[in-house]
Amino acid sequence: MKTNHCIYATLVLCIFGIGIAPLNASANAVPTTTSGLFVGKYRTRHFHGYRIEAKNYVHYNTEYNAKQHATLSEYRPTQKSKVIYKYGTRIVPTHHPWIQHHGKNDNLLTMYQYRKGAWHKMEM
């Protein structure tokens, strides 16, 4: 009787995806990109040389602030492979100033402006 409960519990856990890892876990591993984002069902699309998150994936690090008419990001505008915009963003990044927040407590700001085909650091 005790064995039947163990088998039933194991089957229920496996059905809900909580089961034991397969013997060959590397065969079922999800490949990742260089920036650590999953490639599988959470794809990003190209967006003016940057990336934009998929509809069902909520991991973005860059967004457009409508009040300031500026892009706010954890990264510099030249770090294109790491920049991910929020799903549904439709602005052109080079048409707006870029504000990078960085530092130990994100207390430092660096502002960039796109001019003559390249990003330039602005003096504040």
Side-chain angles (χ1 to χ4, degrees), residues 34-101:
T34 55
S35 63
L37 296 175
F38 291 105
V39 174
K41 61 182 181 179
Y42 303 120
R43 292 192 181 271
T44 57
R45 298 181 298 139
H46 290 289
F47 181 70
H48 300 285
Y50 298 95
R51 296 186 298 170
I52 192 165
E53 69 181 358
K55 185 174 185 178
N56 58 352
Y57 188 50
V58 288
H59 178 80
Y60 60 92
N61 53 31
T62 304
E63 64 180 317
Y64 174 72
N65 186 313
K67 289 183 180 180
Q68 296 179 349
H69 296 290
T71 300
L72 302 172
S73 179
E74 300 172 4
Y75 298 102
R76 293 184 307 274
T78 55
Q79 294 177 294
K80 290 187 174 192
S81 65
K82 295 182 179 183
V83 172
I84 303 171
Y85 278 90
K86 186 177 180 178
Y87 176 78
T89 303
R90 292 186 172 86
I91 58 105
V92 179
T94 55
H95 292 180
H96 305 281
W98 187 290
I99 301 171
Q100 176 198 11
H101 56 91

